[in-house]
């Protein structure tokens, strides 16, 4: 797991990783625009967040 990876799940174990902190900050940046976006635009915005994480070399992982 790298510092750009996002660990899926809930709780303190996932929120404490560097990748999750970056992800949460990125989502927070998009939030005001997302709230005023049309319904058909919202999936595109979510996809943008995913692409930004992946372009930074991050992956979305789940604990096995």
């Amino acid at each position: 797991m790298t510092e750009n990876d996002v660990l899926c799940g809930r709780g303190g174990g996932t929120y404490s990783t560097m990748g999750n902190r970056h992800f949460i900050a990125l989502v927070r940046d998009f939030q005001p625009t997302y709230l005023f976006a049309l319904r058909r635009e919202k999936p595109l915005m979510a996809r943008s967040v995913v692409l930004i994480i992946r372009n930074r070399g991050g992956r979305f992982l789940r604990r096995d």
Side-chain angles (χ1 to χ4, degrees), residues 6-62:
V6 176
L7 186 59
C8 298
R10 295 170 50 156
T14 57
Y15 293 127
S16 64
T17 66
M18 187 60 72
N20 282 56
R21 285 191 228 154
H22 290 302
F23 175 69
I24 291 167
L26 185 61
V27 169
R28 194 174 298 131
D29 292 342
F30 270 81
Q31 187 177 15
T33 308
Y34 183 88
L35 291 174
F36 291 106
L38 298 174
R39 186 175 184 168
R40 67 177 182 267
E41 296 170 337
K42 291 182 178 188
L44 299 173
M45 295 180 75
R47 180 76 178 148
S48 296
V49 171
V50 170
L51 289 175
I52 290 169
I53 295 294
R54 288 186 175 161
N55 286 337
R56 292 179 181 171
R59 301 169 294 173
F60 289 86
L61 307 172
R62 66 178 170 173

